[in-house]
Amino acid sequence: MKKYIVPSLAALMAAAFLTTAQAKEIGMNVPSPPLNEARITELAGPQSKAWLDYLARSKARMTADQDALLAERKGLTTIPAEPATGNGEATMPLKAEAAWYKTPEARAVADSIVSYQTPAGGWGKNQPYNVPPRQKGQAYVGGNENRVNDPANFDRPLIDKWSYVGTTDNGATITEIRYLARVAAQNPAEAAPYHNSIVRGIEYLLAAQFPNGGWPQVWPLQGGYHDMVTLNDNAMEGVISLMRDAGAGQAQGKGDFAFLPDALKARARAAEQAGLKALLAGQVVIDGKLTLWPQQYDPLTGQPTSARNYEPPSLSSTESAGILMYLMQRPDPSPEEVKAVHAGVAMLKQLKIDGYVFKRVEGDDGRRLHAQADAPPLWSRYYDMKALKPIFSDRSKQIFDTVDDVSAGRRNGYAWFSTSPQKAIETYEGWRAKHPQVK
């Protein structure tokens, strides 16, 4: 996949910018292009067969997953209620004391996790596991019964009552695998079901990897922006880091993944390398210079794309910071990796906002930027890829150059600004001494 070079913001958004002086918005967000046979045949070139095979495997796997649930429900007089939804990650702590993973409480969570694994090997998002194991015929993932099929919503369900059934969104699948590995390591005599589930989970992620090394948000593919290479919420970085730990990181037979078969470790190492190559190719070039990464991009063209209605194609500071942290953790970075880090951190430094906090004060209808002399550095989540200035959007798909024009509900309910990139900059200060600029 070629590194994407920005031609113009208008071309990227594929939408006419408004020209009237009175208009508040500076553009309109449009949905991501489909990943289908027609576009693959047109755009994938020599890799068309690999992409078409991938698409066929995804469709077959989707059918198999749905058939498995239907088979369970055959003959049932009552279909069990949907699984609970909520803060799933809170029920799977990864930094507890080692002894805690031996407790009945920890084991019960692990048993629940195993029970909710989809036939393909993944897990849904926002799923708490401090609940009883899944019942026969119960949906694998909660929250699908009441999804509204709104044609104007980029996140509308394209398959009735079947969405996010196997995903890396919000840390799903990645967190389940890591948690099971912690429990298995502390309970070696009873580890077999957890080991089996972990292997299936890693096999699932390997099957989901695109031919170009990236990963979609949901697999089997469910359509829409979920089929794009997804960096959003550090999804792809999370998968690559897991592959690192499952493969190269555990090559000496140590750690939570030491039990994995050597052949699977080798495949994990290869997946990490392919994913790393895709990450480097996804760093956006503007005026001949490397900058940051988008939240997601078209796997066939490398172009940044939209996600939800209020998530336009752009440079994303928070996702870029996560990628930079991953790259700086690599022990022997290549010249290309070193160049990517220097350029990415330089851009974060250029884009930071000093002297402001994003909060709500008395009299505001929602959060706004307010001057504060001692405020820590702040970054907008999204930056226009031409002007390198903050941009914001809304459920209406309108794109604005000020957060004040976003509706109060969306202004309060989304992380439009963040201080998290500062950690990448601080880490860089020590890293750069060992890795000087590559000319």
Side-chain angles (χ1 to χ4, degrees), residues 96-103 106-107 180-191 194-195 256:
E97 294 292 330
W100 182 81
Y101 296 102
K102 300 179 182 179
T103 65
R107 292 283 303 277
L180 289 177
R182 296 288 166 87
V183 173
Q186 296 303 316
N187 298 275
E190 297 86 21
Y194 308 135
H195 284 172
D256 292 347

Side-chain angles (χ1 to χ4, degrees), residues 86-93 100 127-130 175:
N87 187 346
E89 285 190 288
T91 67
M92 300 179 283
W100 182 81
Q127 191 130 339
Y129 296 105
N130 54 349
T175 308

Side-chain angles (χ1 to χ4, degrees), residues 18 25 53 69 84 106 119 130 155 249 258 272 294 303-304 313 322 329 341 371 403:
L18 302 182
E25 64 263 34
D53 288 347
L69 183 59
N130 54 349
D155 199 19
E272 184 200 4
Q303 294 189 10
Q329 291 168 2
V341 171
V403 73

